[in-house]
Amino acid sequence: RVHTSRTYISGPLGPGFQAATETLGEYIGDVDTVDGRAILQPASWLGATVGYEFEREHYYDHQDDHRPAPFRVLTETGISQTAHAGFAAAQVALLDRRLQVSLSGRVQGFSLGTVALSATGVASVYDRVAVAPPPRALTGDFSAAYFVEASDTKVRAHVGNAYRAPGLYERFGGGFSSDPVSGLIIFTPYGDPRLEPDRYLSFDAGVDQ
């Protein structure tokens, strides 16, 4: 479990950009992860790993500028999301272990749970955007190495892709700021519910002598 709790208070406590009223921003985030895996050795030349992972993410924030009605800005955001993943990997050693091959794959699916968005005194841009879970993640990795015994040379290559789903704060976060000239308090949505996941493709090759 990873738990994060932050509280920001700003207001008429000093010169400069401080707002005329006390603004409050509370942020709470939790990520719970549990997984199980089995490591198998069916043959001397073959090793395998299979597993399953469950992840639950929850994000909550509360924003209040404490201005008198009807100017008060008050927002609350509560989002939860779960993910299920299955993965497998194999390591193969052939030709008297001179040839080493590794192969792995992972599939992960996401689903949204609670979606509670409320806003008073400000139009929330999140109300105009359809909320959907991240797309399914399919990742894999392949590497191979061959050892030339006569010259003590190893030739190797690798290719793989990766995936990172955006955090709920990146999609739904928000907070207050104040205009240093006018002193007006501004609520800004930091996130973007439409944010796509990060996707990576990497490859490399080399010779060790």
Side-chain angles (χ1 to χ4, degrees):
R1 155 161 278 214
V2 177
H3 173 76
T4 302
S5 178
R6 294 176 290 156
T7 301
Y8 294 101
I9 298 176
S10 181
L13 307 176
F17 63 88
Q18 300 292 342
T21 60
E22 184 177 272
T23 62
L24 170 68
E26 293 181 298
Y27 302 87
I28 299 175
D30 291 292
V31 178
D32 298 303
T33 307
V34 60
D35 69 37
R37 64 188 66 199
I39 300 175
L40 312 173
Q41 188 75 46
S44 61
W45 52 271
L46 174 63
T49 302
V50 293
Y52 163 81
E53 180 184 272
F54 171 80
E55 182 178 89
R56 179 178 60 191
E57 182 180 4
H58 180 261
Y59 170 73
Y60 170 82
D61 77 35
H62 170 82
Q63 313 289 336
D64 192 345
D65 67 2
H66 292 109
R67 286 188 294 176
F71 307 104
R72 186 179 185 182
V73 174
L74 176 64
T75 69
E76 283 194 335
T77 301
I79 305 285
S80 64
Q81 178 178 280
T82 58
H84 301 267
F87 55 90
Q91 294 180 318
V92 180
L94 302 171
L95 303 177
D96 292 330
R97 309 191 70 84
R98 294 193 305 274
L99 176 62
Q100 306 276 339
V101 177
S102 296
L103 178 67
S104 64
R106 176 184 171 97
V107 57
Q108 185 176 25
F110 302 86
S111 61
L112 284 175
T114 303
V115 179
L117 307 172
S118 66
T120 302
V122 65
S124 175
V125 296
Y126 299 146
D127 292 336
R128 303 193 297 269
V129 179
V131 179
R136 185 176 62 176
L138 294 171
T139 55
D141 197 272
F142 173 81
S143 63
Y146 181 75
F147 182 67
V148 182
E149 192 171 7
S151 60
D152 285 340
T153 304
K154 181 193 292 183
V155 181
R156 52 182 169 78
H158 159 263
V159 62
N161 69 322
Y163 176 108
R164 188 190 75 87
L168 294 178
Y169 175 78
E170 295 175 287
R171 298 180 66 198
F172 297 98
F176 288 114
S177 63
S178 60
D179 188 315
V181 177
S182 65
L184 293 176
I185 299 172
I186 304 168
F187 173 76
T188 303
Y190 300 146
D192 187 345
R194 304 163 301 178
L195 194 63
E196 292 290 328
D198 296 338
R199 300 178 188 269
Y200 309 90
L201 175 64
S202 62
F203 56 89
D204 59 86
V207 176
D208 298 338
Q209 182 63 48

